[in-house]
Amino acid sequence: MAEKSGGSKLEGMIRTIEELIPDYLRGLPVYIPGKPIEEVERELKIQAVKLASNENPLGPSPKGMAERKCCGRRWRSGGEFLRKRFL
């Protein structure tokens, strides 16, 4: 009669979350969030305007505006490779 290995197949499959993380990710530094906007305003004695990641304080680029004026569409589709290449 064969000996039992001391556990079920499931026990051999259980791993900790750390074991599932690849080494190249383990070496990354921990994310440290920036200061809240209110704290920056207090420290610098300014009134700040927080922009979203897709906003620009300088407005749209001249190339972008020329593209819109030329073609009249606000959003390009993914298949317009040649137009994107010239921007």
Side-chain angles (χ1 to χ4, degrees), residues 5-86:
S5 62
S8 69
K9 289 182 181 181
L10 181 60
E11 286 177 358
M13 294 172 45
I14 296 175
R15 294 195 252 171
T16 64
I17 189 72
E18 288 82 14
E19 292 174 314
L20 298 174
I21 301 171
D23 289 336
Y24 66 90
L25 290 179
R26 290 183 198 186
L28 292 176
V30 176
Y31 172 73
I32 301 171
K35 295 179 183 179
I37 193 73
E38 295 83 10
E39 188 176 336
V40 173
E41 288 176 326
R42 256 192 326 275
E43 286 180 5
L44 301 177
K45 296 179 174 71
I46 62 169
Q47 185 176 8
V49 176
K50 191 170 183 178
L51 300 176
S53 60
N54 65 341
E55 293 179 310
N56 178 351
L58 305 175
S61 76
K63 286 183 179 181
M65 292 305 291
E67 169 74 10
R68 183 169 182 205
K69 188 176 182 179
C70 159
C71 302
R73 287 180 48 199
R74 184 170 181 171
W75 306 109
R76 294 183 300 243
S77 68
E80 298 180 78
F81 173 78
L82 293 176
R83 279 190 19 206
K84 288 181 186 179
R85 193 173 86 193
F86 289 106

